[in-house]
């Protein structure tokens, strides 16, 4: 049985020559790895057990990695790193836009993948798995973003599901209210310095976030566009709890 603190990785790749040695390597790096040969098999794994992160190939027979990532984004907050044999920007942009947290281009050094896995896990698990009494919340408009739990709640206490990218975007905005945040700065805060700059990825995240927190996403009152500048959270934010 694996230790409860051991990161659980689901590796999805239809090529045994990649899947098997990579699974062994990741296990040797301290991860608890479950391997799947297809998206269908991966769905079965997810129904049977929890995982902390998915590493998925894009090009697979049947359901491809992009469709599987979209499914994960719509049904869970599990972070995803995509493996792609293509270096074109278009495929990587699409992957980021549908909810992937990072990508690695084949062929790659396994050490690079491990570094990216650890970086994504640090970002997505920053709040920990249990409530920290010293945690911070941010109240803005009718919403409260609970930093430790990574949960957004409305005025009635109802939780609103956020993807990893949506959470980190909102977290960046509530920590810098009424400041104009450029797309480059937001992407740096949301995805880390190792990511390439894709303005469309931030625009897509903002659009998705607005649909969840604005009364009318077509006429946003909270997250506003600053033409030529970026975005700003156009309301007061009250910091609750934690050290000053």
């Amino acid at each position: 049985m694996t230790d409860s603190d051991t990161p659980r990785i689901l590796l999805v790749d239809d090529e045994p020559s990649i899947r098997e040695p990579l699974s062994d390597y990741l296990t040797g790096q301290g991860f608890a790895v479950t391997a799947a040969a297809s998206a269908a098999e991966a769905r079965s794994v997810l129904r049977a057990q929890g995982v902390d992160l998915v590493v998925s190939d894009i090009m697979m027979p049947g359901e491809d990695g992009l469709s599987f990532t979209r499914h994960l984004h719509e049904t869970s907050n599990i972070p995803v790193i995509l493996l792609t044999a293509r270096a074109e920007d278009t495929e990587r942009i699409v992957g980021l836009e549908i909810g992937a947290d990072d990508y690695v281009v084949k062929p790659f050094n396994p050490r690079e993948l491990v570094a990216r896995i650890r970086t994504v896990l640090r970002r997505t698990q920053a709040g920990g798995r249990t409530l920290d009494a010293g945690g911070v919340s941010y109240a803005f408009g009718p919403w409260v973003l609970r930093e430790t739990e990574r949960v957004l709640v409305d005025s009635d206490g109802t939780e609103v599901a956020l993807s990893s990218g949506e959470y980190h975007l909102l977290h960046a905005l509530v920590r810098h209210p009424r400041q104009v945040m450029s797309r480059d700065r937001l992407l740096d805060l949301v995805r880390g310095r190792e990511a390439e700059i894709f303005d469309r990825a931030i625009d897509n995240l903002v659009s998705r976030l607005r649909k969840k927190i604005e009364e009318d996403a077509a006429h946003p009152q909270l997250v506003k566009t600053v033409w030529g500048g970026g975005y700003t959270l156009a309301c007061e934010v009250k910091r609750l709890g934690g050290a000053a």
Side-chain angles (χ1 to χ4, degrees), residues 92 96 101-103 116 119 123 184 186-198 201:
R92 287 181 280 176
L96 294 174
D101 292 79
D102 205 346
Y103 56 85
R116 290 180 180 271
T119 296
R123 291 204 304 265
D184 285 7
L186 284 171
L187 192 59
D188 184 49
L189 292 170
V190 170
R191 302 202 180 277
R193 293 184 180 276
E194 77 281 359
E196 293 185 25
I197 303 303
F198 291 126

Side-chain angles (χ1 to χ4, degrees), residues 40-55:
E41 187 177 331
R43 287 174 183 253
S44 296
V45 170
L46 291 170
R47 286 192 291 268
Q49 67 184 61
V51 302
D52 296 305
L53 182 142
V54 171
V55 177

Side-chain angles (χ1 to χ4, degrees), residues 192-207:
R193 293 184 180 276
E194 77 281 359
E196 293 185 25
I197 303 303
F198 291 126
D199 285 357
R200 282 177 52 197
I202 286 297
D203 292 341
N204 186 268
L205 272 179
V206 169
S207 177

Side-chain angles (χ1 to χ4, degrees), residues 94-114:
V94 170
L96 294 174
E97 286 185 339
I98 64 175
D101 292 79
D102 205 346
Y103 56 85
V104 177
V105 178
K106 296 178 180 179
F108 57 86
N109 187 320
R111 292 176 60 187
E112 177 188 358
L113 177 59
V114 167

Side-chain angles (χ1 to χ4, degrees), residues 60-109:
M60 296 186 292
E63 182 180 11
D64 66 17
L66 293 178
S67 175
F68 180 53
T69 298
R70 185 181 292 107
H71 165 74
L72 285 175
H73 168 70
E74 293 173 348
T75 60
S76 75
N77 290 325
I78 300 172
V80 180
I81 295 177
L82 290 173
L83 305 180
T84 174
R86 300 177 180 175
E88 289 88 349
D89 286 350
T90 300
E91 186 169 85
R92 287 181 280 176
I93 291 172
V94 170
L96 294 174
E97 286 185 339
I98 64 175
D101 292 79
D102 205 346
Y103 56 85
V104 177
V105 178
K106 296 178 180 179
F108 57 86
N109 187 320

Side-chain angles (χ1 to χ4, degrees), residues 100-243:
D101 292 79
D102 205 346
Y103 56 85
V104 177
V105 178
K106 296 178 180 179
F108 57 86
N109 187 320
R111 292 176 60 187
E112 177 188 358
L113 177 59
V114 167
R116 290 180 180 271
I117 288 173
R118 289 176 174 158
T119 296
V120 171
L121 287 174
R122 280 196 300 269
R123 291 204 304 265
T124 58
Q125 296 184 341
R129 296 180 184 175
T130 59
L131 180 61
D132 179 355
V136 175
S137 295
Y138 297 89
F140 64 102
W143 303 99
V144 174
L145 182 68
R146 297 177 184 165
E147 185 179 78
T148 301
E149 299 164 277
R150 298 179 67 244
V151 167
L152 178 68
V153 297
D154 64 16
S155 55
D156 295 325
T158 303
E159 294 186 7
V160 176
L162 296 175
S163 70
S164 174
E166 290 162 358
Y167 167 78
H168 287 289
L169 172 63
L170 183 55
H171 187 246
L173 291 169
V174 297
R175 292 183 63 191
H176 304 87
R178 299 193 183 279
Q179 295 183 31
V180 178
M181 305 284 283
S182 70
R183 290 174 176 83
D184 285 7
R185 187 180 181 195
L186 284 171
L187 192 59
D188 184 49
L189 292 170
V190 170
R191 302 202 180 277
R193 293 184 180 276
E194 77 281 359
E196 293 185 25
I197 303 303
F198 291 126
D199 285 357
R200 282 177 52 197
I202 286 297
D203 292 341
N204 186 268
L205 272 179
V206 169
S207 177
R208 296 205 310 258
L209 183 61
R210 282 172 170 165
K211 291 176 182 178
K212 295 185 176 182
I213 69 172
E214 300 279 3
E215 288 190 15
D216 182 358
H219 301 89
Q221 299 302 307
L222 296 175
V223 180
K224 293 192 172 183
T225 301
V226 180
W227 299 112
Y231 296 98
T232 185
L233 185 66
C235 65
E236 295 297 328
V237 175
K238 185 176 182 180
R239 189 175 186 272
L240 310 171

